[in-house]
Amino acid sequence: MTGDHQTLALLLFSVFVAVTLGITTWVSRHRHGSAEEFYAGGRLFSPMENGFAIAGDYMSAASFLGISGLIALYGYDGLLYSVGFLVAWLVVLFLVAELVRNCGRFTLADVVAARMRERPVRIAAGTSSVTVSVLYLVAQMVGAGSLVALLLGGTSEVAQTWTVIGVGALMVIYVSLGGMRATTWIQIVKAVLLLGGTVTLTVLVLLRFHGDFDQLLLTAAERSGHGDSFLAPGLKYGGDWTARFDFISLGLALVLGTAGLPHILSRFYTVPTARAARRSVVWSIGLIGGFYLMTIVLGFGAAAIVGPEAVRGSNAAGNTAVPLLALDLGGGADSTGGTVLFAIVAAVAFATILAVVAGITLASSASVAHDLYASLRRPHVKPRSEVAVARAAAVGIGVIAIALGLLARDLNVAFLVGLAFAVAASANLPVLLYSLFWRGFTTRGAVCAVYGGLIPAVVLVVLSPVVSGSPESLFPGVDFQYFPLQNPGLVSIPLGFVAGWLGTVTSAELPDEAKHAETEVRSLTGAGAV
């Protein structure tokens, strides 16, 4: 891009960053330092506001950049991400949202600890939540680096490095100063911007093909170089048994992982009642569903208009398909219209990344402070000291996410998020469902469920082709690949459930019937909920 066009795009970036920093500063002036204010925004948000914030928290760089890129490169097989991310919300709506709001205060561990011995359960759930959050953060960092590197002229490693560092610094500022209230408003603004930008691009793609979606698909297939197979299953996940099992594994992780994501669960505590939490999910399903339908148009539009080779040439993982599509739809790289549209899309994508990393960082710092720190010193802890620990934890998590984001800069962001979903579904979902629905569940079962899913998931990722053994790996020069699948969900998710059952049936501890009855009444009726 030319210097003037880069200036315009950077100006839009700067405007959004300035607005979000202004929101954070304004909110920080009205804070009173309580844990409820920092973690849950005072529980004052309406269902519509929280629905928009959930959508803003969920529609990440993986959705906007990664899924469209995968569809542009692999056609039908890229659709799995859109379908999986959306179907997952039915699990959240029917099994999780209302019950979690009634049973907990700020984190996943609150729900489990309501009927268990607190210390071991909080340490296990807190560790798992931080691990999932860091994996999710890495994906956002990679998306930010790819985006700004394209804006500044190709694949500049220096640009990627400084972008990842800058995003990490901004997320620490948002969380440390503004807490949940600032983070929520940033997510609402981002959701509106993202939906507006996506609708605009979708309309422009359909206008290019005169509203004929069949023609769009046929053109995409023709330019893909794969012909009709581009529109059929198997281009990425077909062939041998390994690819087919990878497909099943990824589908399981996407559908079951959402209900175990710490930053999504924490959003249910920002509304006053369980009914409001359920209505929030209905709002978010409508917004998210519309968005994912449009990513299908954008993905095939990028394949038809830009071409998979141009997308792959800009970024091997496909993360820049949508910005390149915007550039072409506006008139090309040398046109003012193309530059303006590209700059707007790039700014919206950057806004997406900032809002999501703020939500994830807040959830993970809450787990460190409220679960890990406070569980060790609960008799002596004060609310203000716990909030101070959460702010310090945000800094530490930011540093870790920056380092891992620099390491994984060449991987597709949707793929990276798939790994985070697999860990969430393996470690968090079993303990959550067992705690809510199994009368005989014990503390030992809860700890086994968390570690029995978390440790296999992480170990299998380390031993998979993602880390070593192929040119696309994090460490292409070495080979300690012993697990053939790229996503561990097919193995680690059942292990989490089996470990929870095995830990319970081999436990000498008798389940506390009174606590279970109290939890059951509270989860179903809201009586006694905070």
Side-chain angles (χ1 to χ4, degrees), residues 205-486:
V205 169
L206 293 176
L207 286 176
R208 178 72 67 92
F209 292 92
H210 308 290
D212 189 342
F213 191 69
D214 285 345
Q215 186 60 42
L216 167 62
L217 295 178
L218 291 173
T219 306
E222 183 180 340
R223 291 204 63 180
S224 71
H226 298 286
D228 290 342
S229 62
F230 189 72
L231 304 179
L235 194 59
K236 181 174 174 61
Y237 295 107
D240 60 11
W241 67 270
T242 304
R244 295 174 185 272
F245 278 124
D246 235 336
F247 183 86
I248 298 171
S249 186
L250 178 63
L252 278 175
L254 296 182
V255 171
L256 299 178
T258 300
L261 293 177
H263 65 291
I264 297 298
L265 295 175
S266 66
R267 289 239 52 93
F268 300 136
Y269 300 125
T270 64
V271 290
T273 64
R275 182 171 181 266
R278 186 174 65 251
R279 290 175 60 198
S280 297
V281 176
V282 173
W283 270 99
S284 63
I285 287 176
L287 297 170
I288 293 167
F291 171 77
Y292 282 123
L293 288 175
M294 291 185 285
T295 61
I296 297 172
V297 177
L298 298 185
F300 283 113
I305 295 170
V306 179
E309 289 306 313
V311 171
R312 196 176 277 111
S314 170
N315 182 273
N319 294 330
T320 54
V322 171
L324 290 174
L325 175 64
L327 197 63
D328 195 293
L329 290 172
D334 297 324
S335 68
T336 301
T339 303
V340 170
L341 192 57
F342 174 89
I344 291 173
V345 168
V348 168
F350 198 66
T352 295
I353 291 164
L354 289 178
V356 173
V357 296
I360 300 168
T361 306
L362 180 61
S364 53
S365 61
S367 293
V368 171
H370 185 64
D371 297 330
L372 299 178
Y373 171 76
S375 67
L376 298 176
R377 297 186 55 198
R378 185 158 299 278
H380 313 290
V381 73
K382 297 178 181 178
R384 287 185 184 276
S385 65
E386 185 178 311
V387 170
V389 170
R391 293 194 173 104
V395 177
I397 289 164
V399 171
I400 295 171
I402 288 170
L404 292 177
L406 295 175
L407 186 65
R409 69 181 72 184
D410 295 325
L411 296 180
N412 182 277
V413 289
F415 170 73
L416 287 169
V417 165
L419 296 182
F421 273 61
V423 177
S426 304
N428 291 347
L429 185 63
V431 71
L432 181 61
L433 294 183
Y434 279 151
S435 297
L436 290 172
F437 299 110
W438 187 7
R439 181 180 296 274
F441 198 44
T442 63
T443 301
R444 181 177 178 180
V447 174
C448 288
V450 173
Y451 292 128
L454 176 64
I455 294 173
V458 173
V459 169
L460 291 177
V461 169
V462 171
L463 300 179
S464 74
V466 177
V467 176
S468 70
S470 70
E472 297 81 24
S473 301
L474 291 180
F475 304 106
V478 295
D479 187 359
F480 46 88
Q481 174 197 333
Y482 298 102
F483 181 66
L485 305 184
Q486 292 188 326

